[in-house]
Amino acid sequence: GEDVEQSLFLSVREGDSSVINCTYTDSSSTYLYWYKQEPGAGLQLLTYIFSNMDMKQDQRLTVLLNKKDKHLSLRIADTQTGDSAIYFCAEIDRGSTLGRLYFGRGTQLTVWP
Amino acid sequence: DTEVTQTPKHLVMGMTNKKSLKCEQHMGHRAMYWYKQKAKKPPELMFVYSYEKLSINESVPSRFSPECPNSSLLNLHLHALQPEDSALYLCASSQDDGPADTQYFGPGTRLTVL
């Protein structure tokens, strides 16, 4: 299976930018996803990027992809207390005929007022 | 609309009970998934249905029995569960079952086995 790594915790002050990092191992072209999970809730798809792209921006969210280092980051601008949640990076298994997702362990983002 | 619905939201059951979890989507998606998530852990894939046929069973114990009555509905039948089966059960769906198909998740059912 694929190996997706994330740091476990991140704390920021309200209004600052948050950067959540992820590394992956698949060397072939792949889709990479960011999901957000609030306490007691399901996973909300935030954004995704295909591995032939370097960057994708969607309102306050910016995804950066460094293909050489297999490093993915999610930047949240002007972080709000409502952004406090667990953020999962996930990679799809392109080697499989089925879309098997491989998740990182999740980064707990805490936003202080 | 990218909504996947799940019922019930919460379920408490004894080890001798039989219960079912239900998942529904009306996006015309042809692949549906069951995941199990323990606290502070990422979701773990249990089953995948593709075009109403079971295509992946991740060596899940037989006390969990999935069913896909039609392309919009996915059930998970539970029988003789153990306390360690207590978890958040998540359903997801995608347009198709290929690697480029984004999975959309439901809110989950919080299951407690006493």
Side-chain angles (χ1 to χ4, degrees):
Chain A
E2 311 302 337
D3 195 11
V4 180
E5 299 283 344
Q6 295 179 246
S7 53
L8 295 182
F9 302 100
L10 177 65
S11 292
V12 300
R13 192 170 297 278
E14 191 175 24
D16 288 349
S17 292
S18 309
V19 179
I20 303 171
N21 295 302
C22 171
T23 58
Y24 63 98
T25 57
D26 189 2
S27 59
S28 60
S29 57
T30 188
Y31 282 88
L32 296 147
Y33 297 87
W34 286 104
Y35 286 92
K36 174 185 179 183
Q37 187 174 34
E38 297 182 39
L43 271 66
Q44 174 193 353
L45 176 68
L46 288 179
T47 187
Y48 63 91
I49 190 168
F50 188 56
S51 57
N52 68 353
M53 298 168 67
D54 297 321
M55 186 183 91
K56 182 177 181 182
Q57 187 156 5
D58 184 2
Q59 300 183 346
R60 291 191 299 125
L61 304 179
T62 303
V63 179
L64 293 177
L65 178 60
N66 180 328
K67 289 182 283 293
K68 175 175 170 290
D69 295 336
K70 296 190 177 63
H71 181 266
L72 181 74
S73 66
L74 175 69
R75 178 177 181 270
I76 306 173
D78 186 25
T79 314
Q80 303 297 306
T81 53
D83 294 323
S84 292
I86 298 177
Y87 290 79
F88 289 100
C89 171
E91 178 185 24
I92 208 91
D93 180 4
R94 294 276 293 182
S96 168
T97 54
L98 291 171
R100 185 189 298 268
L101 272 176
Y102 291 92
F103 287 92
R105 293 177 61 188
T107 299
Q108 172 74 60
L109 173 65
T110 302
V111 183
W112 302 98
Chain B
D1 181 15
T2 54
E3 189 179 27
V4 177
T5 60
Q6 290 187 245
T7 54
K9 192 171 173 63
H10 301 276
L11 179 61
V12 179
M13 61 186 289
M15 290 188 285
T16 58
N17 291 158
K18 283 186 182 181
K19 296 285 184 184
S20 296
L21 310 184
K22 180 178 169 181
C23 173
E24 200 161 1
Q25 57 86 15
H26 295 288
M27 296 177 279
H29 288 178
R30 303 314 301 265
M32 296 185 77
Y33 310 75
W34 279 117
Y35 287 84
K36 173 183 177 180
Q37 187 181 25
K38 301 285 275 185
K40 308 292 186 189
K41 300 286 187 184
E44 299 172 4
L45 184 65
M46 300 175 71
F47 302 104
V48 180
Y49 271 83
S50 177
Y51 290 83
E52 299 161 46
K53 288 187 173 20
L54 182 65
S55 53
I56 291 181
N57 176 342
E58 291 285 273
S59 303
V60 179
S62 60
R63 56 186 185 269
F64 295 91
S65 175
E67 179 198 16
C68 189
N70 59 60
S71 59
S72 301
L73 197 54
L74 184 67
N75 298 321
L76 186 63
H77 303 297
L78 314 172
H79 174 54
L81 293 194
Q82 303 297 308
E84 59 264 30
D85 295 321
S86 298
L88 181 68
Y89 287 84
L90 294 164
C91 175
S93 71
S94 62
Q95 182 71 37
D96 211 317
D97 60 8
D101 293 293
T102 301
Q103 293 181 29
Y104 295 91
F105 285 79
T109 293
R110 174 74 59 189
L111 174 67
T112 304
V113 182
L114 301 176

